[in-house]
Amino acid sequence: MAPTRGSAAYKKKDGTLAMAKDAQSVSWTPTAPPGSQPALTLAVTSITNLQQTPASSAKVMLKIFAQPPGATASETHVFSFTSPLNARGEADAIKDALSKAILSAKIGNATPAAPGGGGGSTSAAMAIASAVSSTPGAGRDTNAWYDDGRLKSDVELQQSLLKANPPLSKTFMESLRTKPESISNSQFTSQFWSSRIHLLRAHAIEKNQTRGAYNVLSSIKPKTVDNATRLSISKEQIQLIFSQHSLVKRVYDENVPKLSEEIFWSRFFQSRLFKKLKGEKITDADPTDPVLDKYLQHDDEAERAKRLMASYIPHIIDIEGNEENHSQRKGNQPDLTMRPASVDKVPIIRTLNTLSEKIMSHVVPNDVDPSEPIGMDEETFNSLALRDLQGDAEENRIILNIKDQSRFFSSNKESTLSTEALLYAKQDPAHVLRSLRADLTATSSDLHLETAIGVNDDSSSSDDESSSHPKTRHVGSKASLSAATTQMLSAIVQQRAQSDDLSFSAPAFTIHSPSPPSTLSAPIFDRLSLTHATTTEFLHHFWHAFLSGSVSRADELSKLVETLDRAMDRIKAVADDAEAERMKEVEKVKKQVREHYERTQKKLRFDPESIGGGAKVVNQLLGPTVRAIGVAVGEYRKAVREAEREEEEGGG
């Protein structure tokens, strides 16, 4: 197997970067003078990290971090790949080869050092994890997604998340501003992000997601600038075109030395070959090109046949392979939709299907166990098997011989009856009938089922409310149905208030109230949400320090209690401002009522309680937070009293 190599520039000099045949080193050899010896050789065991420019970058560069034996710091070597055709592919191939070599080297070094008793697997697993972590994708370590410690120490990732999430950034800055002086910035940051590891992990995964393969020809569209048609195309798009359409790469290789690259792409995107590869129908009005039109007759079926021959298809579902056994050349023709058509009739369908096959062939399936053997599994084989052609399954029964059946099957019929059936069998039917007639005679002749269960159509809800001793509600009565309807409508209104009124500002805020509170104004509610978030953050800090049991954190606890007291003051300030805002609205409505009376001499009925908002709503929303602060402060003071009592007893 030929060693992996690629054209790369090092320190502004052209050369070739290649892996050794034994995959133990990588070397760079300058192009000039010809026949030069490698100017740089790096052993795989000395490489500590690899970094590569993302796919969206125009330049293709690979940075290798190497630390020679005895050195205290790593050295960086940057290689710029200069191949005009496949720079990205060569860089990926060398990086993948280096990654595998580093992984093999680390596993080989870790496995012999493992002690007996099962420790070898642990060392190998750690070696694999470290080897994977040394090959980051797009400049970031993918293994860091699963390491909580590395996520909490990644300042760049945290700043990126704060920029992407303004509410979280506002909470962080407000909490940092109002934190106690006894808590350092590093302690506060560590505690803040320790409860938001899931957000950091999700943001890291989102940043490392890259766009997969797509139909690149359909995304390239010309633009009209200054009455001239212009088309912009990047190197990544050219690489995708070459990988998805091998014919374009062949045309490029055969004609670009004769034509300049700019002229080639300009003629290609205006040619009939471009329309054919996109799946569009070619018309007589399309311009002709003497160079590119020669490739219109390229045999796509031959290329497709090669792919099918390379792939394994079970004979039971291989329709083309069984065509000679299922020929319909005689007799009635198949339906129009089942007849094979030429490519010219439906080019878009065949083109899209072929392109989809190429794209999906490079996607690793996520529903397949990699440890399973390659080929058809047993379940698929059983589902495709023709059961009608199989013989009857051989019976595999166990013959049970019973000599004395009387031991298992009793002839006494009474033993088969239940206890309840035996009880009814002892009763006299005539006596039961007389009892039923007596019960029916005792009741009135105009007995009605609705009356029996308590339904009275002539009654009203006001009668039940005015009664000082309301009757017991029967199931199905009008009062019970009215109460059930009221409860259901109240629950629906409360759910709408939670999802519609408050979700836009505080998605993590939940109301626990029997009736939906009135909506506050946007500025007041923003202050309320921020106060709730910062108070919750300080409660997390308090319980983390309180439950640690460390005596050295006593001063920090006292400062946190003072911070919680100030949080209560902030909650009271928000409630006072909300009440002042509500009173302004009440005065405004009163003024409108007075003006209406002066104009029309008609009084309007106005209830100040109909104006929502105010301190009542704030206290209702922050009620659980206030109770949580009370519990935290109470537990702290209780612990202080117990510590003082123990100190007095010890001193006495």
Side-chain angles (χ1 to χ4, degrees):
M1 180 178 178
T4 305
R5 62 177 60 245
S7 300
Y10 177 65
K11 294 183 179 181
K12 298 183 179 180
K13 294 183 179 180
D14 294 336
T16 302
L17 184 66
M19 286 285 297
K21 293 183 179 180
D22 57 354
Q24 298 299 319
S25 63
V26 59
S27 60
W28 178 82
T29 306
T31 305
S36 301
Q37 295 296 323
L40 176 66
T41 302
L42 301 174
V44 172
T45 55
S46 65
I47 298 176
T48 59
N49 199 356
L50 297 173
Q51 288 186 0
Q52 185 181 3
T53 55
S56 58
S57 177
K59 295 183 178 180
V60 183
M61 304 173 68
L62 178 65
K63 182 184 289 187
I64 301 177
F65 296 81
Q67 184 174 357
T72 58
S74 299
E75 300 175 357
T76 59
H77 306 276
V78 180
F79 301 94
S80 301
F81 289 83
T82 58
S83 174
L85 299 179
N86 193 20
R88 177 68 59 181
E90 293 177 356
D92 293 340
I94 293 179
K95 193 197 74 169
D96 294 340
L98 283 174
S99 302
K100 294 179 181 179
I102 294 171
L103 176 61
S104 301
K106 292 190 175 183
I107 293 177
N109 293 336
T111 304
S121 59
T122 304
S123 300
M126 294 301 296
I128 292 174
S130 61
V132 174
S133 65
S134 65
T135 58
R140 182 169 297 279
D141 189 352
T142 55
N143 191 49
W145 301 345
Y146 309 103
D147 190 349
D148 294 352
R150 300 183 67 175
L151 288 174
K152 288 192 294 184
S153 61
D154 194 339
V155 180
E156 181 182 353
L157 179 64
Q158 296 167 6
Q159 293 177 352
S160 176
L161 177 58
L162 292 177
K163 291 180 182 179
N165 193 339
L168 182 63
S169 176
K170 187 183 297 184
T171 302
F172 176 81
M173 299 305 298
E174 181 67 17
S175 303
L176 185 63
R177 184 181 63 84
T178 57
K179 72 175 181 63
E181 297 180 356
S182 59
I183 301 178
S184 63
N185 290 340
S186 60
Q187 291 176 345
F188 169 78
T189 304
S190 177
Q191 180 63 26
F192 181 85
W193 292 114
S194 63
S195 59
R196 295 168 174 84
I197 292 295
H198 61 289
L199 297 179
L200 290 173
R201 182 173 292 109
H203 187 65
I205 295 175
E206 180 183 358
K207 288 187 64 178
N208 282 273
Q209 287 179 340
T210 57
R211 185 177 183 181
Y214 60 96
N215 189 356
V216 62
L217 291 182
S218 63
S219 63
I220 299 176
K221 297 180 180 179
K223 298 180 181 179
T224 303
V225 179
D226 298 334
N227 296 328
T229 304
R230 300 184 181 275
L231 189 68
S232 61
I233 182 172
S234 62
K235 292 183 178 179
E236 284 71 20
Q237 289 177 326
I238 294 177
Q239 296 298 330
L240 278 177
I241 293 175
F242 287 161
S243 62
Q244 294 177 6
H245 304 280
S246 58
L247 178 60
V248 179
K249 186 176 181 180
R250 171 187 164 190
V251 175
Y252 180 89
D253 293 337
E254 294 179 359
N255 296 279
V256 164
K258 304 174 184 177
L259 302 174
S260 64
E261 190 167 353
E262 182 179 356
I263 295 177
F264 171 80
W265 290 114
S266 176
R267 293 173 61 173
F268 171 74
F269 288 113
Q270 297 177 2
S271 65
R272 297 186 175 187
L273 180 61
F274 175 67
K275 295 191 66 176
K276 178 184 177 182
L277 294 177
K278 285 183 65 177
E280 298 179 359
K281 192 173 183 179
I282 299 175
T283 61
D284 296 336
D286 295 329
T288 60
D289 191 294
V291 176
L292 300 179
D293 289 351
K294 296 185 300 181
Y295 301 93
L296 288 174
Q297 304 301 325
H298 176 69
D299 192 1
D300 294 333
E301 293 297 330
E303 183 180 357
R304 180 173 177 270
K306 292 181 181 179
R307 293 199 309 269
L308 291 178
M309 291 296 293
S311 61
Y312 172 74
I313 300 178
H315 296 296
I316 195 170
I317 60 174
D318 188 2
I319 300 179
E320 292 185 357
N322 297 323
E323 176 65 21
E324 59 183 9
N325 300 325
H326 300 278
S327 177
Q328 293 180 339
R329 299 173 183 174
K330 298 180 179 180
N332 297 331
Q333 288 187 346
D335 186 71
L336 179 63
T337 58
M338 300 301 295
R339 301 176 193 172
S342 62
V343 182
D344 298 334
K345 292 185 178 180
V346 281
I348 185 64
I349 297 178
R350 292 179 179 269
T351 302
L352 293 180
N353 288 341
T354 304
L355 184 59
S356 299
E357 290 179 2
K358 292 180 180 179
I359 294 176
M360 295 304 297
S361 63
H362 298 287
V363 178
V364 179
N366 57 0
D367 56 347
V368 177
D369 187 0
S371 61
E372 292 181 353
I374 300 175
M376 186 185 303
D377 56 357
E378 185 176 357
E379 183 180 358
T380 305
F381 177 79
N382 293 333
S383 63
L384 297 177
L386 299 178
R387 298 178 180 83
D388 294 343
L389 301 181
Q390 299 177 1
D392 296 335
E394 183 180 356
E395 295 184 357
N396 187 13
R397 299 181 300 173
I398 300 177
I399 301 176
L400 180 62
N401 297 320
I402 301 177
K403 296 181 179 180
D404 188 6
Q405 298 185 5
S406 60
R407 296 171 53 190
F408 304 99
F409 305 100
S410 176
S411 59
N412 187 7
K413 297 182 180 180
E414 294 184 358
S415 61
T416 60
L417 299 177
S418 62
T419 305
E420 187 176 359
L422 293 174
L423 179 63
Y424 288 143
K426 296 179 181 179
Q427 294 183 359
D428 185 9
H431 177 70
V432 173
L433 290 175
R434 284 195 299 269
S435 300
L436 289 175
R437 290 193 188 97
D439 293 338
L440 293 175
T441 305
T443 58
S444 58
S445 59
D446 57 346
L447 178 63
H448 199 273
L449 290 178
E450 292 185 354
T451 306
I453 64 175
V455 176
N456 186 2
D457 294 334
D458 298 332
S459 65
S460 61
S461 58
S462 59
D463 297 338
D464 296 337
E465 295 175 356
S466 62
S467 176
S468 59
H469 299 285
K471 297 180 180 179
T472 303
R473 293 175 178 174
H474 294 277
V475 177
S477 63
K478 179 174 290 187
S480 298
L481 294 175
S482 177
T485 303
T486 304
Q487 182 181 7
M488 293 172 60
L489 294 177
S490 176
I492 293 173
V493 172
Q494 180 180 359
Q495 181 65 26
R496 287 182 176 177
Q498 294 182 15
S499 59
D500 298 340
D501 297 337
L502 303 177
S503 60
F504 70 94
S505 297
F509 209 85
T510 306
I511 306 173
H512 300 281
S513 59
S515 59
S518 301
T519 306
L520 299 171
S521 63
I524 294 295
F525 191 80
D526 289 341
R527 287 181 55 193
L528 182 144
S529 302
L530 186 60
T531 303
H532 170 264
T534 54
T535 305
T536 304
E537 188 64 32
F538 289 128
L539 282 172
H540 288 164
H541 281 276
F542 171 82
W543 287 113
H544 186 268
F546 183 79
L547 297 177
S548 66
S550 176
V551 181
S552 60
R553 306 186 69 175
D555 183 60
E556 179 183 349
L557 279 173
S558 62
K559 297 294 184 181
L560 284 171
V561 171
E562 295 177 2
T563 304
L564 292 178
D565 292 337
R566 290 196 297 269
M568 291 293 297
D569 297 337
R570 288 193 292 270
I571 293 174
K572 186 176 183 303
V574 174
D576 294 341
D577 293 345
E579 187 64 25
E581 185 182 72
R582 178 181 175 276
M583 293 308 299
K584 289 182 181 179
E585 188 67 22
V586 171
E587 293 298 330
K588 179 180 178 181
V589 176
K590 285 183 178 180
K591 182 179 179 181
Q592 294 176 355
V593 171
R594 287 194 299 268
E595 292 177 354
H596 182 270
Y597 176 75
E598 292 174 358
R599 291 196 310 267
T600 62
Q601 297 299 317
K602 294 181 180 180
K603 291 185 178 181
L604 294 177
R605 182 177 298 177
F606 169 64
D607 184 10
E609 297 297 329
S610 62
I611 303 298
K616 180 180 178 181
V617 175
V618 173
N619 294 331
Q620 186 178 10
L621 293 175
L622 293 180
T625 305
V626 173
R627 290 193 294 271
I629 295 175
V631 171
V633 174
E635 290 293 331
Y636 171 76
R637 291 174 180 171
K638 179 181 177 181
V640 170
R641 288 194 300 268
E642 291 180 356
E644 292 176 351
R645 185 174 64 254
E646 291 178 358
E647 185 177 356
E648 292 177 357
E649 293 176 356

